[in-house]
Amino acid sequence: MKNLIEKLVSDALAALPPGTLGGAPPPAPAVERSRDTAHGDFACSIAMRLARSLRANPRALAQQIVAALPKNDLIEKTEIAGPGFINFFMAPAAWQAELLRVHAAGRTYGRGVSGAGRRAIVEFVSANPTGPLHVGHGRHAAYGASVANLLEADGWSVHREYYVNDAGRQMDILAASVWLRYLELCGETIRFPANGYRGEYIRPIAAALHGRQGDAFHKPANAVFAGLPPDEPDGGDKDQYIDALIARARELLAAGFRTVFDAGLTKILADIQNDLAEFGVRFDRWYSEQDLGDGRDGGPIDRALQRLRAHGHVFVQEGAVWFRAAAFGDEKDRVVIRANGQKTYFASDIAYHLDKRERGFDLLVTILGADHHGYVARVRAGLAAMGEPPESLQVPMVQFVTLFKGGEKVAMGKREARFVTLRDLRNEVGNDAARLIYVMRSNDQHLDFDLELAKKQSNDNPVYYVQYAHARIASVLKQAAERGLPFDRESGLASLALLADPQEREMMREITRWPEIIQQASEIRAPHMVVHYLRELAAAFHAYYNALPFIVDDGALRNARLALIVAARQVLGNALDILGVSAPESM
RNA sequence: GCCCCGGUAGCUCAGUGGAUAGAGCGGCCGCCUCCUAAGCGGCAGGUCGUCGGUUCGACUCCGGCCCGGGGCGCCA
């Protein structure tokens, strides 16, 4: 509907006498919904915007534009108001036509074409498989899934990906942690390292390993710990200690280290996959970091380094290979291959993003925690240096989540194993409440997640408020059918002209905003806009419900009203679907 | 020190240059012989952190400052 006005304004601008716009390219039409219905349904501020550069009187310019507007029956009238707004008042037929569109399009109503013909990859969560997902990851999952859905709804071809960080030191620490728990099962008494993963979830992994392998990996504790540097509690360095312990594990276990390593990785990754699937968050690919290669095998890291070398953007210093990141907007140069010959995490990052480009994605959306913001300039620099457009990478940041129980903060913290898992949270409040509350706030706003509010069955809880609207509509239709007055869509759609009450006009205004919400929310990756919209649409419905009866004797009026609320139900369902929240038929 | 995010009603937050700054909660006052009261209506509540600038117009853009959170490794 808004795009109709935009089209009319654009046509009017094009139809103005040559020279009126000073030869400049035609500007965007600048049409928006009027906040106050006294100002019509849509307002256009183009005259004021143009007046500056043209040094013209905005109201006079507005006059010219209005005069040039193509005739259209769906516009009841236009008026020029205030400093130069052009206000559009839609004819009832315009709303009716849009309602017909809702009924005809059904599940596809609202879809846009901004991304048509283009491919986007959305990478999100990507938590290290060293333990179960916690409540922070849940926000990433809910946000990323919703953003991906929004992009898809706006015409993009979307690929959802989880980067599995299954190589590197953290995974070695996991393997060592599993092994130590395993040794306990073999009867050894061990002191757990300060930097190990001490969560309870390690024990069943060790137990399963022990069940399969028996004592095959059993080494006496004194052989394991002999000659290691002191751990932190003994005045040593916890990192040096754990690294030495890992080296010892590799030495004692030889090929068995890999078995222990994989036992941890496999179990934890499966748990994460299962958790996310249960949460309704699906991925097209779980991209293994191991697939990036080691920099010498023709894999992505190798290819990235070759590209950088080919463009002359690397140098060697103190035995390490450096990338001239500072020449590409980063604050300093970065090491890609350490003096010990190992790739850095950064090398993996740029290689992975090059790989995404090589796979043909136009838009790379990488969702990260707010603590990773330093990463953006680096990876963009890498892309630029490799000859890829840096602006193809977009990195929405998700701020932290704080759990509350009533007024009390719930303590979290990972290594100490006190954290609340995503699974715990889901079991506590349900997927729907979790999904919606996670994306209710802007992603760059800290989120206070109140467990009690999420479970409350009242207006305070936006989940129930919105779902209740959907269920109520289903209930009305059921009631009508039970009274022998089932909804007759054909009659309803033919009688839409009967809908003239203020609440009905408000309903139509809200329902028809949905395409605009998708377009805008997708553009700025802001699923919270969908939540706000849902509340507003639900509020319009609840007000309508209280103001007027739907199941009336007059068949034409009854079916028209039912057609209206069925349209509302459709849009509520479509919007909930974007967020991965269910749309119940009854509550 | 540098970088990122935030500062809007008592609380939690919308508002990506437009007209009189909004919502939910909380507070107060009302509405169920009638389609689900998990609902609706009304009232009260604001120097949009602060100082300056840009503009026809600034909560929105720019600069300074204050406050809160986070980040600045050949860690992941």
Side-chain angles (χ1 to χ4, degrees):
Chain A
M1 204 165 203
K2 181 178 151 195
N3 53 19
L4 166 69
I5 311 292
E6 288 171 343
K7 176 85 166 57
L8 294 176
V9 172
S10 292
D11 288 352
L13 291 173
L16 290 175
T20 311
L21 299 180
V31 174
E32 58 191 50
R33 292 263 171 173
S34 300
R35 218 184 280 158
D36 184 340
T37 55
H39 297 136
D41 298 304
F42 292 90
C44 171
S45 58
I46 191 73
M48 291 175 292
R49 290 168 199 273
L50 284 171
R52 180 186 337 230
S53 57
L54 299 177
R55 296 205 292 170
N57 178 319
R59 287 188 66 107
L61 192 55
Q63 282 291 358
Q64 284 186 275
I65 295 168
V66 168
L69 281 171
K71 289 276 169 285
N72 192 299
D73 291 343
L74 299 180
I75 310 295
E76 190 167 86
K77 64 167 177 170
T78 58
E79 64 181 26
I80 293 162
F85 289 102
I86 303 170
N87 292 332
F88 291 82
F89 294 76
M90 305 306 290
W95 304 108
Q96 294 156 22
E98 192 70 10
L99 287 180
L100 291 179
R101 233 166 267 141
V102 178
H103 278 266
R107 295 185 59 77
T108 64
Y109 178 71
R111 286 178 179 263
V113 294
S114 305
R118 288 186 291 169
R119 301 179 60 209
I121 178 171
V122 181
E123 182 212 331
F124 60 114
V125 188
S126 298
N128 290 354
T130 52
L133 298 176
H134 57 67
V135 294
H137 297 128
R139 189 179 190 190
H140 283 248
Y143 175 76
S146 298
V147 166
N149 291 343
L150 274 170
L151 287 169
E152 208 159 61
D154 204 21
W156 290 86
S157 167
V158 177
H159 175 91
R160 297 158 175 83
E161 191 155 295
Y162 186 118
Y163 177 69
V164 184
N165 215 300
D166 53 9
R169 183 163 168 269
Q170 292 305 319
M171 292 306 296
D172 289 337
I173 294 175
L174 174 72
S177 302
V178 169
W179 189 45
L180 293 177
R181 292 305 186 200
Y182 168 93
L183 292 177
E184 286 180 338
L185 294 173
C186 295
E188 297 294 334
T189 301
I190 60 133
R191 276 185 70 197
F192 211 78
N195 213 14
Y197 288 102
R198 39 181 68 241
E200 284 304 311
Y201 61 89
I202 301 290
R203 295 181 192 273
I205 298 171
L209 182 67
H210 192 251
R212 284 196 304 275
Q213 305 277 353
D215 285 354
F217 304 124
H218 182 194
K219 305 290 170 192
N222 56 12
V224 175
F225 295 103
L228 295 184
D231 196 2
E232 192 170 69
D234 306 320
D237 182 287
K238 63 181 180 181
D239 286 305
Q240 280 178 17
Y241 178 76
I242 196 90
D243 286 340
L245 184 63
I246 290 165
R248 178 63 51 82
R250 287 185 186 283
E251 180 191 323
L252 293 175
L253 289 172
F257 185 82
R258 189 70 221 180
T259 308
V260 176
F261 183 102
D262 284 339
L265 169 61
T266 307
K267 177 68 177 25
I268 289 173
L269 184 58
D271 176 71
I272 288 172
Q273 291 176 326
N274 174 274
D275 199 8
L276 289 171
E278 283 179 10
F279 198 32
V281 176
R282 316 218 169 263
F283 292 89
D284 297 300
R285 181 168 174 186
W286 299 74
Y287 191 105
S288 168
E289 181 186 1
Q290 296 179 25
D291 291 348
L292 291 174
D294 63 1
R296 304 183 209 75
D297 53 5
I301 289 179
D302 196 7
R303 293 203 297 279
L305 290 177
Q306 278 176 25
R307 275 225 208 179
L308 290 178
R309 257 183 231 115
H311 290 83
H313 301 315
V314 291
F315 63 94
V316 176
Q317 186 181 306
E318 290 168 20
V321 181
W322 295 69
F323 160 52
R324 291 185 202 281
F328 295 90
D330 195 6
E331 54 190 21
K332 53 182 157 186
D333 294 337
R334 306 282 174 181
V335 172
V336 283
I337 301 291
R338 288 182 235 161
N340 65 11
Q342 291 199 311
K343 62 180 179 163
T344 60
Y345 199 76
F346 170 65
S348 299
D349 288 339
I350 58 172
Y352 179 41
H353 282 84
L354 174 63
D355 184 69
K356 289 177 181 176
R357 290 289 302 167
E358 287 177 339
R359 282 187 275 159
F361 294 109
D362 304 290
L363 173 65
L364 318 180
V365 178
T366 301
I367 294 163
L368 293 178
D371 52 340
H372 285 72
H373 86 269
Y375 163 108
V376 183
R378 270 179 287 202
V379 178
R380 282 228 175 93
L383 283 170
M386 293 184 294
E388 298 292 337
E391 64 289 350
S392 62
L393 173 66
Q394 296 193 357
V395 187
M397 305 278 190
V398 177
Q399 295 285 337
F400 298 146
V401 177
T402 308
L403 269 191
F404 281 82
K405 205 155 198 164
E408 295 285 303
K409 236 182 208 180
V410 179
M412 291 182 280
K414 194 162 182 180
R415 291 288 163 84
E416 305 78 41
R418 278 203 323 247
F419 59 86
V420 179
T421 64
L422 172 59
R423 188 172 274 112
D424 289 343
L425 177 78
R426 295 194 295 104
N427 290 338
E428 182 85 4
V429 307
N431 283 339
D432 285 343
R435 287 288 298 258
L436 191 132
I437 290 171
Y438 267 138
V439 297
M440 184 168 68
R441 301 295 177 224
S442 161
N443 57 294
D444 44 32
Q445 187 81 239
H446 289 249
L447 175 68
D448 290 340
F449 194 119
D450 190 328
L451 294 167
E452 284 181 12
L453 175 70
K455 287 192 290 183
K456 224 166 164 184
Q457 306 212 342
S458 74
N459 201 355
D460 317 12
N461 185 340
V463 186
Y464 287 97
Y465 184 77
V466 172
Q467 288 186 323
Y468 183 45
H470 188 273
R472 250 185 169 179
I473 294 169
S475 171
V476 169
L477 293 169
K478 198 171 142 217
Q479 288 277 332
E482 280 170 5
R483 292 192 209 172
L485 303 169
F487 172 47
D488 180 338
R489 187 187 300 260
E490 198 179 337
S491 158
L493 295 180
S495 313
L496 294 175
L498 298 174
L499 304 176
D501 269 76
Q503 286 85 0
E504 291 168 337
R505 297 196 61 108
E506 180 59 19
M507 282 282 280
M508 294 190 249
R509 268 193 288 271
E510 285 297 332
I511 289 168
T512 58
R513 279 174 64 209
W514 178 230
E516 297 155 34
I517 298 294
I518 286 188
Q519 197 274 325
Q520 201 178 7
S522 163
E523 171 74 28
I524 62 172
R525 333 282 186 232
H528 73 275
M529 292 185 63
V530 176
V531 180
H532 284 269
Y533 170 69
L534 274 167
R535 291 176 79 139
E536 285 157 10
L537 177 55
F541 168 73
H542 288 307
Y544 183 32
Y545 181 97
N546 275 60
L548 296 169
F550 307 137
I551 307 174
V552 293
D553 292 336
D554 178 345
L557 181 61
R558 180 180 66 244
N559 284 309
R561 286 180 174 167
L562 294 179
L564 180 60
I565 66 172
V566 164
R569 180 179 67 168
Q570 183 69 59
V571 173
L572 286 167
N574 290 1
L576 286 168
D577 201 44
I578 292 285
L579 304 180
V581 177
S582 71
E585 294 292 305
S586 68
M587 291 173 68

